[in-house]
Amino acid sequence: MRVVDSVSVLIELIEVSIHCILYARKIYPEGIFELKKKYNVPVHISIYPKLNSYINGTLSAVKSLLKLKKLCKLDVCFYNKIGVAVERFVFNIRNVELELNLSDFSNLRDPYLIKLEQMLRAFCLKLTVCDSLLKPLPSSCTFQIHLHTTETTSIEIQKDTEEFPLIPSEKKDTILTSPAIVPLRSIDCEHLNLEIYAEEGNKTEDPDLFTPSPLI
């Protein structure tokens, strides 16, 4: 029996996406990234140990939440130098089939995963050019990854996240004033149903919110 592990597929996609986003938004020097191929697409992946440790620790928690079907959204949020959220990339996870039997061809739209691979490739390609769709970030930006789940569930997975404990976000850390929505890509198949979009602060609300980054 052929079975696809959709959680692992989604974890890899989120991991690659986070690296692509961080490279595209230029908050780190280009030298900490190296070019690799994922889904037959060249993407930039971080080789900086501290950054990778943070991403991998987050993904461990994501895996636990996905297995419980308790992860609603994940976002990569950027903050200016005074700690105000100015932009975020949101992964809206609508459905993940934990295991899908690929042996029953008659009930599957994509039994050989060809369309899924095409969707993953298109997803990555869109992220590599997302910088052209967004305003430059201010200089000295930082970022955080937020996982949207319930307090009960975060307690439930504590044993799985002892080395990388989840910290509840304060409301002020998640508020983005008058965001403009920039749709990026969606995936809809038997295995996964999710969309990713960007939210960015409104320039007209605060003229100093976006200033050209010296890295651009």
Side-chain angles (χ1 to χ4, degrees):
M1 182 175 70
R2 295 172 62 230
V3 176
V4 62
D5 179 2
S6 299
V7 169
S8 296
V9 172
L10 182 53
I11 289 288
E12 182 179 46
L13 176 62
I14 292 173
E15 179 180 15
V16 173
S17 299
I18 291 172
H19 287 274
C20 287
I21 290 167
L22 295 178
Y23 177 80
R25 300 312 282 140
K26 299 178 173 64
I27 69 167
Y28 290 102
E30 290 187 6
I32 74 161
F33 296 88
E34 66 179 13
L35 206 57
K36 293 186 177 182
K37 269 198 172 183
K38 293 289 186 181
Y39 317 119
N40 287 320
V41 175
V43 294
H44 288 87
I45 303 295
S46 163
I47 57 173
Y48 185 50
K50 287 187 177 179
L51 174 58
N52 291 357
S53 177
Y54 174 64
I55 293 172
N56 292 337
T58 303
L59 291 174
S60 178
V62 169
K63 185 174 184 178
S64 297
L65 291 170
L66 287 174
K67 286 183 175 180
L68 294 172
K69 293 198 169 187
K70 294 294 186 180
L71 182 64
C72 303
K73 288 193 297 187
L74 175 149
D75 72 66
V76 180
C77 189
F78 294 96
Y79 300 86
N80 64 18
K81 59 186 176 183
I82 61 171
V84 176
V86 293
E87 179 182 287
R88 63 173 156 241
F89 287 76
V90 181
F91 295 76
N92 187 14
I93 301 165
R94 293 170 176 155
N95 184 51
V96 181
E97 291 297 330
L98 299 184
E99 288 188 346
L100 190 67
N101 183 0
L102 298 180
S103 302
D104 187 4
F105 281 22
S106 61
N107 292 321
L108 295 176
R109 289 178 290 164
D110 186 24
Y112 296 106
L113 306 183
I114 295 172
K115 291 181 180 178
L116 175 61
E117 185 174 352
Q118 291 172 344
M119 289 179 188
L120 296 176
R121 188 181 303 121
F123 202 88
C124 283
L125 284 170
K126 189 69 174 184
L127 287 178
T128 60
V129 299
C130 68
D131 203 41
S132 64
L133 305 174
L134 302 166
K135 302 179 183 72
L137 286 170
S139 60
S140 304
C141 269
T142 58
F143 86 99
Q144 290 180 4
I145 302 173
H146 298 146
L147 308 181
H148 298 249
T149 187
T150 64
E151 184 177 359
T152 302
T153 305
S154 64
I155 295 171
E156 190 176 343
I157 66 166
Q158 276 183 348
K159 287 184 179 180
D160 298 329
T161 59
E162 285 180 351
E163 295 182 5
F164 189 81
L166 299 180
I167 302 172
S169 296
E170 295 185 30
K171 189 174 181 180
K172 64 180 181 64
D173 293 334
T174 61
I175 292 176
L176 195 59
T177 305
S178 301
I181 308 297
V182 182
L184 293 173
R185 197 77 198 186
S186 63
I187 290 178
D188 183 9
C189 61
E190 287 100 348
H191 327 281
L192 303 170
N193 189 327
L194 73 150
E195 64 175 342
I196 180 172
Y197 55 90
E199 296 179 342
E200 60 177 342
N202 190 332
K203 189 176 181 181
T204 58
E205 292 267 335
D206 183 355
D208 296 323
L209 187 61
F210 287 102
T211 55
S213 169
L215 295 178
I216 294 174

